[in-house]
Structures are given as C-alpha cells and as structure tokens.
Amino acid sequence: MARVLVIEDNPASLDLMVYLLKAFGHTPLSARDGLQGIEEARKEQPDLILCDIQLPGADGVEVCRRLKQDPNLKDIQIIAVTAYAMVGDREKLLANGFNGYLSKPINPQTFIEQMAPYLSIRRNHSASVSPVEQARVTVTRARILVVDNSPANIHLSRSMLEPFGYQIIEARSVDDALKALTEPFPDVILSDLHMPDKDGFDFIEIVKANPELRKIPFLFISSTMLAERERELALYLGAERFLLRPIEPPALINEIEACRSKGKSG
C-alpha cells in the first residue's frame, strides 16, 4: 500500500481518483491548488504524487519544479495529469521533471494498473507502517489463490494482502486456477465471479466435487450490483463468503482469517 498525494482543483476528478486509490488499498492525500500541493508534499512526503497541470496558485509545471529542487522530495515520482493533451505534451512534461503522464478523463478500469510501476518504486513508507505490520511481513501467514481475469483486480489483491504476510498465487482463468491447485494446496481460494469461458460458479462446483480440494475455504469477491441472488447461489454451492468490492484491507483480512479459523476448527 502507498500514500498518494493528488493535486487537483476539479472536484469530480479529485473525488474519482481518491475513491479508486482507497478502493485499491492505498492512502490518498489531496490538495486543491498548486501551493497547497507543495505544502502538503513537504509535510507528508508521500510515495507518489499525481498533479494536474492547470492549477490555481502555481501550475503543475511549477509544482514539479519546486518539488524536484527539494532534496527531501526530489526522488518522489510525480505523474502529470491533464486534459489538455496535444502532440509533444508528454515529452515537454517529462523534460520539465515529471516521471510520467496521464491524460484525462481517467479510465477507472486501468487507472491503478497505470499507477503500479510508479507505486512499486517507493511503495514502503516507514512512517505509515506500525511495528506490528512490519512483523507481519516477515512470515507467510497463508497462501491465497487469487482467481481473476482482471490484472487490476489481481494487483488490488496483492497490494492489500502481501504487506500483511500473505503469499499470492495468481490465476487469470478457471483453467489456470485448476492447474495451480496442486500440493501444497493453497490455504484459501479468493475468486472473482464473472469470468469468460468458465465462471466462478463453474469453478466452485469443480473444487467442491474434489475430496482433496473441498475443505479449502472458498471466498467469492465481486463488483456485481445484482449481488443477492448470486450470493445465495454462491453460499448454496459451498462458498464461505460472498464479498463485494470495494473492500478495505482490514475487512478482507478479517473475512479470510475467519474462514481459516472455521476450517481449522471444523
């Protein structure tokens, strides 16, 4: 998980980026003009900065220039976010010190995936990690098979669970997941519902029909809005939980651990 400063004066754009960052387990910080953004960056020293170009107070280029001149902030990745995309703009912005470029309107389906390379550069912020959390990452708490055809959703699972010591085994389809279900078996299966070819219901029926696999706690996680009928069917087929996105990391971890404890006691 990372701390991300969003400098944006458009309320709708700001709210959308903050929402997506929260949904994917990150901690968003915000500023609505350039000068406030500089002050917030100096105070918080975030892991990543998303900066609009057309800003009041000081525009994005000026914000970037000042931050890159600060010895304490110069290594923070800064991504330019702008609706005024013209030929050569990307090259000009990179020449002015930005580490990346993102055009508006942002695409919610690919936004976090586009951020991933920059988040991985400076994702560990010691001030935001407690001693308990630091201890957690030194041991593997459980092996979790994450099944989802969306790379962004798999990245979401990694960003929420790996910092807390979980080992993620990823599969992009039911067929890939079945190939991954070999000894040692995962401790938990976390599966999307809607996938091409075979869906999550096909997957759980195969798992629960296998005597070696049926005891593995099986959790569904979905973004569907027609959840109640699907939740009832999922539980009927043997799923321990039917979770809805977005979900905060502590809530997801609590659900996983509750299912593991139930499995051990059973």
Side-chain angles (χ1 to χ4, degrees), residues 25-43:
H26 302 296
T27 301
L29 309 165
S30 63
R32 293 182 179 269
D33 65 59
L35 295 178
Q36 182 188 6
I38 294 169
E39 181 181 348
E40 194 74 6
R42 288 172 175 163
K43 181 176 70 173

PDB file of all heavy atoms in Angstrom, residues 25-43:
ATOM      1  N   GLY A  25      -6.712  -0.033  -1.739  1.00  0.00           N
ATOM      2  CA  GLY A  25      -5.909  -0.212  -0.533  1.00  0.00           C
ATOM      3  C   GLY A  25      -4.871   0.850  -0.259  1.00  0.00           C
ATOM      4  O   GLY A  25      -4.089   0.721   0.682  1.00  0.00           O
ATOM      5  N   HIS A  26      -4.834   1.918  -1.071  1.00  0.00           N
ATOM      6  CA  HIS A  26      -3.846   2.975  -0.856  1.00  0.00           C
ATOM      7  C   HIS A  26      -4.427   4.077   0.025  1.00  0.00           C
ATOM      8  O   HIS A  26      -5.637   4.151   0.246  1.00  0.00           O
ATOM      9  CB  HIS A  26      -3.397   3.548  -2.201  1.00  0.00           C
ATOM     10  CG  HIS A  26      -2.807   2.521  -3.110  1.00  0.00           C
ATOM     11  ND1 HIS A  26      -1.638   1.850  -2.815  1.00  0.00           N
ATOM     12  CD2 HIS A  26      -3.238   2.015  -4.296  1.00  0.00           C
ATOM     13  CE1 HIS A  26      -1.372   0.981  -3.783  1.00  0.00           C
ATOM     14  NE2 HIS A  26      -2.318   1.068  -4.686  1.00  0.00           N
ATOM     15  N   THR A  27      -3.554   4.949   0.523  1.00  0.00           N
ATOM     16  CA  THR A  27      -3.977   6.077   1.360  1.00  0.00           C
ATOM     17  C   THR A  27      -3.864   7.366   0.552  1.00  0.00           C
ATOM     18  O   THR A  27      -2.744   7.823   0.269  1.00  0.00           O
ATOM     19  CB  THR A  27      -3.094   6.181   2.618  1.00  0.00           C
ATOM     20  OG1 THR A  27      -3.196   4.966   3.362  1.00  0.00           O
ATOM     21  CG2 THR A  27      -3.534   7.349   3.487  1.00  0.00           C
ATOM     22  N   PRO A  28      -4.991   7.949   0.134  1.00  0.00           N
ATOM     23  CA  PRO A  28      -4.925   9.177  -0.654  1.00  0.00           C
ATOM     24  C   PRO A  28      -4.808  10.422   0.226  1.00  0.00           C
ATOM     25  O   PRO A  28      -5.423  10.511   1.290  1.00  0.00           O
ATOM     26  CB  PRO A  28      -6.259   9.169  -1.419  1.00  0.00           C
ATOM     27  CG  PRO A  28      -7.193   8.396  -0.550  1.00  0.00           C
ATOM     28  CD  PRO A  28      -6.362   7.418   0.235  1.00  0.00           C
ATOM     29  N   LEU A  29      -4.008  11.362  -0.245  1.00  0.00           N
ATOM     30  CA  LEU A  29      -3.919  12.700   0.325  1.00  0.00           C
ATOM     31  C   LEU A  29      -4.352  13.650  -0.785  1.00  0.00           C
ATOM     32  O   LEU A  29      -4.239  13.318  -1.960  1.00  0.00           O
ATOM     33  CB  LEU A  29      -2.494  13.002   0.776  1.00  0.00           C
ATOM     34  CG  LEU A  29      -1.831  11.954   1.683  1.00  0.00           C
ATOM     35  CD1 LEU A  29      -0.325  12.191   1.744  1.00  0.00           C
ATOM     36  CD2 LEU A  29      -2.447  11.995   3.061  1.00  0.00           C
ATOM     37  N   SER A  30      -4.807  14.845  -0.454  1.00  0.00           N
ATOM     38  CA  SER A  30      -5.317  15.709  -1.524  1.00  0.00           C
ATOM     39  C   SER A  30      -4.979  17.170  -1.271  1.00  0.00           C
ATOM     40  O   SER A  30      -4.789  17.610  -0.133  1.00  0.00           O
ATOM     41  CB  SER A  30      -6.836  15.547  -1.667  1.00  0.00           C
ATOM     42  OG  SER A  30      -7.507  15.950  -0.488  1.00  0.00           O
ATOM     43  N   ALA A  31      -4.900  17.908  -2.381  1.00  0.00           N
ATOM     44  CA  ALA A  31      -4.713  19.355  -2.366  1.00  0.00           C
ATOM     45  C   ALA A  31      -5.431  19.921  -3.576  1.00  0.00           C
ATOM     46  O   ALA A  31      -5.429  19.308  -4.648  1.00  0.00           O
ATOM     47  CB  ALA A  31      -3.229  19.709  -2.399  1.00  0.00           C
ATOM     48  N   ARG A  32      -6.019  21.111  -3.421  1.00  0.00           N
ATOM     49  CA  ARG A  32      -6.864  21.665  -4.495  1.00  0.00           C
ATOM     50  C   ARG A  32      -6.206  22.817  -5.256  1.00  0.00           C
ATOM     51  O   ARG A  32      -6.818  23.396  -6.144  1.00  0.00           O
ATOM     52  CB  ARG A  32      -8.205  22.118  -3.917  1.00  0.00           C
ATOM     53  CG  ARG A  32      -9.056  20.935  -3.421  1.00  0.00           C
ATOM     54  CD  ARG A  32     -10.389  21.384  -2.893  1.00  0.00           C
ATOM     55  NE  ARG A  32     -11.181  20.262  -2.445  1.00  0.00           N
ATOM     56  CZ  ARG A  32     -12.033  19.587  -3.206  1.00  0.00           C
ATOM     57  NH1 ARG A  32     -12.189  19.930  -4.467  1.00  0.00           N
ATOM     58  NH2 ARG A  32     -12.714  18.572  -2.714  1.00  0.00           N
ATOM     59  N   ASP A  33      -4.969  23.157  -4.925  1.00  0.00           N
ATOM     60  CA  ASP A  33      -4.232  24.126  -5.735  1.00  0.00           C
ATOM     61  C   ASP A  33      -2.744  23.836  -5.615  1.00  0.00           C
ATOM     62  O   ASP A  33      -2.320  23.040  -4.766  1.00  0.00           O
ATOM     63  CB  ASP A  33      -4.551  25.578  -5.337  1.00  0.00           C
ATOM     64  CG  ASP A  33      -4.108  25.937  -3.926  1.00  0.00           C
ATOM     65  OD1 ASP A  33      -2.899  25.830  -3.628  1.00  0.00           O
ATOM     66  OD2 ASP A  33      -4.967  26.327  -3.111  1.00  0.00           O
ATOM     67  N   GLY A  34      -1.957  24.481  -6.466  1.00  0.00           N
ATOM     68  CA  GLY A  34      -0.549  24.160  -6.545  1.00  0.00           C
ATOM     69  C   GLY A  34       0.232  24.451  -5.278  1.00  0.00           C
ATOM     70  O   GLY A  34       1.041  23.637  -4.828  1.00  0.00           O
ATOM     71  N   LEU A  35      -0.017  25.623  -4.670  1.00  0.00           N
ATOM     72  CA  LEU A  35       0.730  25.994  -3.469  1.00  0.00           C
ATOM     73  C   LEU A  35       0.389  25.069  -2.302  1.00  0.00           C
ATOM     74  O   LEU A  35       1.272  24.668  -1.527  1.00  0.00           O
ATOM     75  CB  LEU A  35       0.434  27.452  -3.099  1.00  0.00           C
ATOM     76  CG  LEU A  35       0.914  28.490  -4.127  1.00  0.00           C
ATOM     77  CD1 LEU A  35       0.535  29.897  -3.685  1.00  0.00           C
ATOM     78  CD2 LEU A  35       2.420  28.376  -4.344  1.00  0.00           C
ATOM     79  N   GLN A  36      -0.893  24.720  -2.189  1.00  0.00           N
ATOM     80  CA  GLN A  36      -1.289  23.778  -1.144  1.00  0.00           C
ATOM     81  C   GLN A  36      -0.660  22.405  -1.392  1.00  0.00           C
ATOM     82  O   GLN A  36      -0.252  21.710  -0.462  1.00  0.00           O
ATOM     83  CB  GLN A  36      -2.812  23.652  -1.094  1.00  0.00           C
ATOM     84  CG  GLN A  36      -3.304  22.725   0.020  1.00  0.00           C
ATOM     85  CD  GLN A  36      -4.800  22.449  -0.056  1.00  0.00           C
ATOM     86  OE1 GLN A  36      -5.473  22.860  -0.999  1.00  0.00           O
ATOM     87  NE2 GLN A  36      -5.322  21.741   0.936  1.00  0.00           N
ATOM     88  N   GLY A  37      -0.556  22.040  -2.680  1.00  0.00           N
ATOM     89  CA  GLY A  37       0.050  20.763  -3.022  1.00  0.00           C
ATOM     90  C   GLY A  37       1.515  20.702  -2.614  1.00  0.00           C
ATOM     91  O   GLY A  37       1.989  19.687  -2.093  1.00  0.00           O
ATOM     92  N   ILE A  38       2.245  21.799  -2.837  1.00  0.00           N
ATOM     93  CA  ILE A  38       3.661  21.856  -2.436  1.00  0.00           C
ATOM     94  C   ILE A  38       3.785  21.734  -0.924  1.00  0.00           C
ATOM     95  O   ILE A  38       4.617  20.982  -0.399  1.00  0.00           O
ATOM     96  CB  ILE A  38       4.301  23.166  -2.933  1.00  0.00           C
ATOM     97  CG1 ILE A  38       4.348  23.197  -4.468  1.00  0.00           C
ATOM     98  CG2 ILE A  38       5.702  23.336  -2.343  1.00  0.00           C
ATOM     99  CD1 ILE A  38       4.718  24.548  -5.040  1.00  0.00           C
ATOM    100  N   GLU A  39       2.940  22.459  -0.213  1.00  0.00           N
ATOM    101  CA  GLU A  39       2.960  22.407   1.249  1.00  0.00           C
ATOM    102  C   GLU A  39       2.637  21.000   1.762  1.00  0.00           C
ATOM    103  O   GLU A  39       3.294  20.483   2.675  1.00  0.00           O
ATOM    104  CB  GLU A  39       1.959  23.423   1.815  1.00  0.00           C
ATOM    105  CG  GLU A  39       1.922  23.464   3.337  1.00  0.00           C
ATOM    106  CD  GLU A  39       0.895  24.467   3.861  1.00  0.00           C
ATOM    107  OE1 GLU A  39       0.377  25.276   3.063  1.00  0.00           O
ATOM    108  OE2 GLU A  39       0.608  24.419   5.071  1.00  0.00           O
ATOM    109  N   GLU A  40       1.624  20.365   1.151  1.00  0.00           N
ATOM    110  CA  GLU A  40       1.217  19.027   1.573  1.00  0.00           C
ATOM    111  C   GLU A  40       2.327  18.006   1.291  1.00  0.00           C
ATOM    112  O   GLU A  40       2.579  17.099   2.092  1.00  0.00           O
ATOM    113  CB  GLU A  40      -0.069  18.631   0.842  1.00  0.00           C
ATOM    114  CG  GLU A  40      -0.781  17.424   1.412  1.00  0.00           C
ATOM    115  CD  GLU A  40      -1.496  17.712   2.713  1.00  0.00           C
ATOM    116  OE1 GLU A  40      -1.541  18.889   3.137  1.00  0.00           O
ATOM    117  OE2 GLU A  40      -1.994  16.748   3.324  1.00  0.00           O
ATOM    118  N   ALA A  41       2.989  18.157   0.149  1.00  0.00           N
ATOM    119  CA  ALA A  41       4.079  17.241  -0.194  1.00  0.00           C
ATOM    120  C   ALA A  41       5.232  17.362   0.804  1.00  0.00           C
ATOM    121  O   ALA A  41       5.805  16.352   1.226  1.00  0.00           O
ATOM    122  CB  ALA A  41       4.577  17.524  -1.611  1.00  0.00           C
ATOM    123  N   ARG A  42       5.564  18.577   1.183  1.00  0.00           N
ATOM    124  CA  ARG A  42       6.655  18.782   2.143  1.00  0.00           C
ATOM    125  C   ARG A  42       6.294  18.242   3.517  1.00  0.00           C
ATOM    126  O   ARG A  42       7.145  17.704   4.225  1.00  0.00           O
ATOM    127  CB  ARG A  42       7.000  20.264   2.216  1.00  0.00           C
ATOM    128  CG  ARG A  42       7.732  20.772   0.973  1.00  0.00           C
ATOM    129  CD  ARG A  42       7.907  22.267   0.968  1.00  0.00           C
ATOM    130  NE  ARG A  42       8.710  22.690  -0.179  1.00  0.00           N
ATOM    131  CZ  ARG A  42       8.775  23.936  -0.631  1.00  0.00           C
ATOM    132  NH1 ARG A  42       8.071  24.897  -0.025  1.00  0.00           N
ATOM    133  NH2 ARG A  42       9.522  24.236  -1.682  1.00  0.00           N
ATOM    134  N   LYS A  43       5.035  18.373   3.888  1.00  0.00           N
ATOM    135  CA  LYS A  43       4.588  17.922   5.205  1.00  0.00           C
ATOM    136  C   LYS A  43       4.460  16.399   5.270  1.00  0.00           C
ATOM    137  O   LYS A  43       4.876  15.774   6.235  1.00  0.00           O
ATOM    138  CB  LYS A  43       3.249  18.579   5.558  1.00  0.00           C
ATOM    139  CG  LYS A  43       2.712  18.181   6.937  1.00  0.00           C
ATOM    140  CD  LYS A  43       1.432  18.933   7.264  1.00  0.00           C
ATOM    141  CE  LYS A  43       0.284  18.454   6.390  1.00  0.00           C
ATOM    142  NZ  LYS A  43      -1.022  19.058   6.787  1.00  0.00           N
TER     143      LYS A  43
END
